[in-house]
């Protein structure tokens, strides 16, 4: 028996693990107390690493669809056929006729992150989609506007702040998102022990709100009104302390004028929070020795996602808490992905290009996932006829799952890089299953860049994969080379590509190069001592690189290296907010639907293991007793929830932890469809809240899906209806 130091990559927390292995099998998983970031933190999901490793439904070899169902196929034939069919579609209908979708797990996989660019280059398609347009692109857009790089996202200095203001986030369950903070509950205890305060603004009294010194209910969609009012008070009462930021800031008078209509008194009737409470909160935040405002999914998956994200950082800026200890600071990761993006001239852009069918905005080279179904189903030049999905299940995680299901069923050819036969991959012609997390090494290159402390860690292989298994990066690089060769169509080019395949560096070498180019590396100068992969391997629990420090001057990549406090995009959004006051609003008995997370669950792909399915039913419709009584519903009744695009049936769970007028379904459930090979998931199917999300409603700056605050009607289900059905 031996012990392997591993980083859990199931969410953004990066908890350090000690995994005991005996004869090729995981015997025990426990927290690593010596990990400098997580310091012994762990959540139940860590056990899922072993359960997925041993899941009999997990695919380990390629499959091909036949008239009688899926059958095994060899790797060589699977890759050759996939490349040939994709290239045929592109040669006939143009490169954009093949689309690609990247799911959330790709962000946690160093191999995918590093090899995805080459794969996209081989496809050379503008029909690219990703889970980021479902939950986080507004934050990236805000960072482009403020700092000039979509990956430059300052995070709360959580371990030193005196006042933490949280909107639309539940980090007790998520351990932070775009704020990697394992052991968040323990960090809040430390905040309270040093006399600090936690204030949470949320339509639900979440697990995080339960720890707060103050929780204020807010109606979904109204966050920008509150944020604008807080900034208004700080400017009006001259509470700002941003002296150290003055050399970097422009257009403050323009911002003051733009915020003038949003006094707490003028917006109180629409906000639903008393003006005096808003003024008190602004003063407390501004006068705290240090403070950090943090917002996440609830503020991004909204009609004003980009404005919300921008106002959050501006609130920190106006109070002098941007780039200051205890406020919000830019991490300094060892493998600096933001720096690499700058070297490549890929710092992100707010594009003017629009989608083919709806003319919706695109962002950073990607189209909104909310537009994916129509781009497949709508005939005409540029129609998507072939697809590649990478670690994604858009039929369950995207808006209007029924439309996406029809779209994927209509494709001419579809190849999925995935190890489950799920709601989306059941439509695939070929499935290419990669190894699982325990079977490959890793470095969390994205999430070290959002961590509340600077650390670095290499995560080695725990279980050696079978000889006939392939890693994600191997599948991506091989498929990319084959597609390129098929499109070039000459023997000489194919021979050159065969040689190139042998020269493609593996992730270990790529990681070593990235570390050497990073802020702690030697820059490939032999006379300097710098951080290398060998150093991480010699410190299996990880290396502590210290607390976050001010570095705004080096992070600013905007024109003139200055922050524009009144960019035209934001001024236009503030004008729109002044007109509609943060829609959606209820009408005719409608309620507003929001999502929620569970600590044992992880998006749409984690439900085929005992960890997520045992015990109580977690896929319930949470509802305030007053709203239920008005609809003649009681606890554990079955209710039908209907929106413009769909209807589902779920079991009612009454709770006073919701604001009246708001209901909640968890994200990621709803496992159904002929041909799934996910026994436990289908036995505990639940319903998909995304079947109710209207794909026609988009955030206008980047086209992010509006997945919170969905207007729905709720009524008692027929006696025969089960509490886990759809339509």
């Amino acid at each position: 028996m031996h012990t392997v130091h591993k980083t859990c990559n199931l969410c953004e927390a990066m908890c350090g693990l000690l995994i005991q292995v005996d004869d090729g099998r995981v015997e025990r998983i426990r927290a690593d107390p010596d990990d400098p970031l997580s310091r012994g933190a762990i959540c139940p999901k860590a056990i899922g690493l072993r359960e997925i490793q041993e899941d009999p439904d997990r695919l380990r070899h390629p499959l091909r669809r036949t008239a009688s169902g899926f059958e095994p196929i060899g790797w060589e034939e699977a890759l050759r056929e996939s490349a040939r069919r994709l290239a045929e579609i592109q040669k006939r209908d143009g490169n954009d006729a093949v689309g690609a979708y990247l799911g959330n797990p790709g962000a946690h996989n160093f191999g995918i992150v590093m090899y995805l660019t080459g794969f996209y280059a081989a496809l050379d398609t503008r029909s690219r989609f990703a889970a980021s347009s479902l939950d986080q692109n507004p934050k990236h857009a805000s960072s482009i506007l403020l700092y000039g790089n979509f990956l430059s996202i300052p995070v709360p200095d959580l371990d030193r702040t005196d006042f933490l203001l949280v909107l639309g986030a539940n980090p007790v369950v998520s351990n932070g998102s775009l704020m990697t903070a394992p052991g968040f509950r323990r960090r809040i205890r430390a905040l309270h022990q040093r006399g600090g305060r936690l204030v949470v603004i949320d339509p639900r009294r979440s697990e995080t709100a339960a720890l707060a010194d103050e929780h204020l209910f807010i109606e979904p969609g109204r966050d920008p009104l509150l944020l604008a009012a807080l900034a208004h008070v700080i400017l009006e009462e001259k509470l700002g302390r941003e002296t150290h930021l003055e050399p970097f800031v422009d257009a403050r008078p323009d911002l003051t004028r733009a915020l003038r209509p949003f006094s707490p008194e003028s917006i109180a009737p629409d906000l639903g929070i008393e003006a005096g409470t808003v003024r008190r909160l602004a003063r407390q935040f501004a006068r705290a020795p240090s403070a950090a405002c943090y917002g996440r999914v609830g503020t991004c998956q909204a009609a004003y996602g980009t404005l919300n994200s921008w106002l959050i950082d501006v609130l920190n800026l106006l109070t002098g808490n941007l780039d200051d200890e205890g406020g919000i600071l830019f991490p300094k990761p060892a493998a600096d992905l933001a720096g690499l993006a700058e070297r490549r001239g890929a710092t992100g852009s707010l594009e003017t290009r629009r989608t083919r069918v709806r003319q919706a905005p695109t962002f950073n080279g990607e189209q909104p996932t909310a537009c994916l179904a129509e781009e497949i189903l709508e005939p005409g030049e540029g129609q998507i006829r072939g697809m590649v999905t990478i670690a994604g299940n858009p039929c369950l995680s995207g808006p209007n799952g029924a439309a996406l299901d029809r779209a994927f069923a209509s494709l001419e050819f579809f190849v999925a890089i995935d190890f489950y036969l799920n709601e989306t991959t059941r439509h695939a012609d070929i499935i290419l299953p990669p190894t699982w997390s325990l079977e490959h090494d890793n470095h969390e290159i994205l999430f070290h860049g959002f961590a509340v402390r600077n650390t670095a860690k290499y995560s080695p292989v725990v279980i050696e994969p079978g000889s006939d298994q392939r890693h994600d990066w191997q599948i991506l690089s091989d498929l990319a080379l084959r597609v390129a060769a098929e499109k070039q169509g000459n023997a000489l080019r194919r021979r050159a590509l065969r040689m190139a395949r042998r020269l493609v560096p593996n992730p270990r070498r790529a990681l070593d190069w990235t570390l050497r180019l990073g802020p702690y590396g030697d820059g490939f100068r032999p006379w300097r001592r710098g951080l290398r992969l060998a150093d991480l391997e010699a410190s299996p629990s990880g290396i502590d690189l210290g607390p976050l420090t001010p570095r705004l001057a080096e992070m600013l990549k905007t024109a003139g290296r200055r922050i524009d406090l009144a960019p035209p995009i934001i001024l236009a959004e503030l004008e729109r907010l002044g007109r509609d006051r943060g829609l959606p609003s209820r009408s005719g008995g409608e309620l507003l639907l929001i999502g929620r997370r569970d600590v044992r669950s992880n998006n749409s792909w984690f439900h085929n293991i005992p960890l997520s399915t045992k015990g109580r039913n977690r896929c319930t419709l949470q509802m305030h007793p007053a709203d239920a009584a008005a609809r003649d519903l009681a606890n554990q009744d079955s209710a039908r929830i209907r929106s413009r695009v769909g209807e589902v049936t779920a079991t009612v769970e009454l709770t006073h932890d919701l604001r009246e007028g708001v209901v909640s379904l968890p994200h990621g459930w709803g496992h159904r469809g002929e041909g799934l090979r996910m026994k436990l998931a289908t036995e505990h199917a639940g319903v998909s809240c995304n079947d109710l999300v209207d794909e026609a409603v988009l955030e206008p700056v980047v086209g992010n899906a509006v997945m919170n605050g969905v207007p729905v009607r709720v009524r008692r289900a027929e006696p025969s209806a089960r509490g886990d059905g759809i339509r």
Side-chain angles (χ1 to χ4, degrees), residues 595-639:
R596 67 179 188 270
R597 296 179 67 105
D598 182 84
V599 73
R600 291 177 177 268
S601 182
N602 196 27
N603 298 332
S604 68
W605 62 277
F606 208 63
H607 296 146
N608 204 55
I609 56 176
L611 171 75
S612 296
T613 53
K614 65 183 179 182
R616 63 180 176 83
N617 175 21
R618 293 177 176 83
C619 189
T620 59
L621 178 73
Q622 289 189 348
M623 196 172 190
H624 192 280
D627 292 323
R631 291 156 180 81
D632 194 28
L633 285 166
N635 201 45
Q636 298 302 304
D637 278 352
S638 287

Side-chain angles (χ1 to χ4, degrees), residues 492-504:
L492 181 63
R493 179 64 174 166
R494 284 195 287 270
R495 284 198 297 272
L497 287 170
R498 282 197 294 271
M499 181 178 294
R501 186 182 299 120
R502 293 194 293 270
L503 297 176
V504 171

Side-chain angles (χ1 to χ4, degrees), residues 663-704:
V663 292
S664 173
L665 279 171
H667 168 70
W669 298 87
H671 304 286
R672 80 281 176 170
E674 184 178 349
L676 268 65
R677 292 189 190 175
M678 302 178 73
K679 183 175 183 295
L680 275 177
T682 52
E683 289 176 355
H684 302 268
V687 298
S688 174
C689 62
N690 295 328
D691 286 332
L692 302 168
V693 176
D694 192 342
E695 81 281 15
V697 182
L698 296 178
E699 191 268 1
V701 178
V702 295
N704 208 84

Side-chain angles (χ1 to χ4, degrees), residues 44-120:
K45 282 194 290 291
I47 305 303
L49 290 167
R50 177 177 63 192
E51 293 186 346
I52 291 177
Q53 175 69 30
E54 299 174 353
D55 187 354
D57 289 335
R58 181 167 68 93
L59 304 179
R60 290 164 173 81
H61 306 288
L63 296 178
R64 176 168 54 191
R65 174 187 297 282
T66 70
S68 57
F70 284 97
E71 65 177 20
I73 182 177
W75 277 105
E76 180 66 24
E77 187 177 1
L79 288 164
R80 184 172 61 246
E81 182 173 342
S82 296
R84 178 180 62 81
R85 295 288 301 278
L86 293 172
E88 284 177 353
I89 292 172
Q90 290 193 311
K91 286 189 288 187
R92 184 192 69 210
D93 297 328
N95 285 348
D96 294 345
V98 169
Y101 176 86
L102 176 67
N104 170 266
H108 298 269
N109 185 312
F110 180 81
I112 292 178
V113 171
M114 297 305 289
Y115 288 80
L116 190 65
T117 300
F119 178 72
Y120 282 158

Side-chain angles (χ1 to χ4, degrees), residues 354-359 374-375 378-384:
R354 297 275 162 169
T355 61
R356 177 182 67 100
V357 176
R358 200 190 313 180
Q359 297 297 298
E374 65 201 40
E375 292 294 327
E378 184 69 25
E381 184 178 352
Q383 179 185 10
I384 296 174

Side-chain angles (χ1 to χ4, degrees), residues 216-507:
L216 297 175
F217 284 114
I218 191 170
E219 185 172 289
R222 309 291 173 151
D223 301 274
L225 282 178
L226 174 62
L227 290 165
L230 292 172
H232 171 100
V233 172
I234 289 164
L235 289 168
E236 178 193 54
E237 299 186 6
K238 297 180 171 51
L239 300 174
R241 298 182 303 172
E242 70 274 28
T243 306
H244 69 289
L245 299 172
E246 285 295 340
F248 305 106
V249 174
D250 287 331
R252 177 173 166 147
D254 296 331
L255 174 65
T256 301
R257 283 192 294 271
L259 292 174
R260 195 164 289 148
F262 298 100
S263 70
E265 291 74 19
S266 67
I267 57 96
D270 299 298
L271 179 61
I273 300 175
E274 292 181 356
T277 301
V278 175
R279 287 193 177 274
R280 172 179 57 80
L281 181 59
R283 293 163 185 160
Q284 290 174 341
F285 186 84
R287 291 168 178 166
S290 64
C293 181
Y294 166 72
R296 195 41 201 102
V297 170
T299 57
C300 285
Q301 294 179 328
Y304 286 92
T306 300
L307 180 61
N308 283 334
S309 300
W310 186 86
L311 282 169
I312 286 168
D313 275 18
V314 166
L315 185 63
N316 286 305
L317 184 155
L318 293 176
T319 54
N321 287 296
L322 171 64
D323 203 44
D324 197 34
E325 182 178 313
I328 62 170
L329 293 158
F330 295 95
K332 190 175 183 179
D336 183 11
L337 199 58
L340 287 176
E342 183 190 352
R343 287 169 184 259
R344 292 173 36 233
T347 54
S349 62
L350 291 167
E351 302 176 4
T352 56
R353 187 168 61 87
R354 297 275 162 169
T355 61
R356 177 182 67 100
V357 176
R358 200 190 313 180
Q359 297 297 298
T362 62
F363 175 70
N364 211 21
E366 294 175 353
Q367 299 186 37
T369 297
C371 298
L372 176 54
E374 65 201 40
E375 292 294 327
I376 296 173
L377 293 170
E378 184 69 25
E381 184 178 352
Q383 179 185 10
I384 296 174
R385 301 304 305 141
M387 276 294 297
V388 181
T389 60
I390 307 160
N393 187 5
C395 288
L396 200 58
S397 58
N400 194 347
L404 282 161
D405 195 64
R406 292 193 301 272
F408 274 86
S410 74
L411 288 166
E412 180 180 326
F413 183 74
F414 168 27
V415 57
I417 302 174
D418 205 300
F419 52 61
Y420 275 124
L421 216 171
N422 60 30
E423 292 75 19
T424 300
T425 63
R426 71 191 182 98
H427 296 300
D429 295 278
I430 290 179
I431 304 177
L432 305 172
T435 54
W436 169 230
S437 173
L438 300 185
E439 298 167 332
H440 63 76
D441 59 354
N442 197 30
H443 173 76
E444 290 277 6
I445 188 168
L446 270 173
F447 300 109
H448 278 293
F450 306 134
V452 297
R453 187 174 182 87
N454 295 314
T455 64
K457 184 177 177 181
Y458 172 70
S459 191
V461 172
V462 176
I463 303 291
E464 290 295 332
S467 59
D468 195 34
Q469 290 181 267
R470 303 277 181 100
H471 301 307
D472 306 79
W473 70 270
Q474 292 173 316
I475 297 170
L476 286 171
S477 60
D478 206 347
L479 188 56
L481 291 170
R482 290 171 184 266
V483 168
E486 289 285 343
K487 289 200 289 187
Q488 289 293 327
N490 66 69
L492 181 63
R493 179 64 174 166
R494 284 195 287 270
R495 284 198 297 272
L497 287 170
R498 282 197 294 271
M499 181 178 294
R501 186 182 299 120
R502 293 194 293 270
L503 297 176
V504 171
N506 62 38

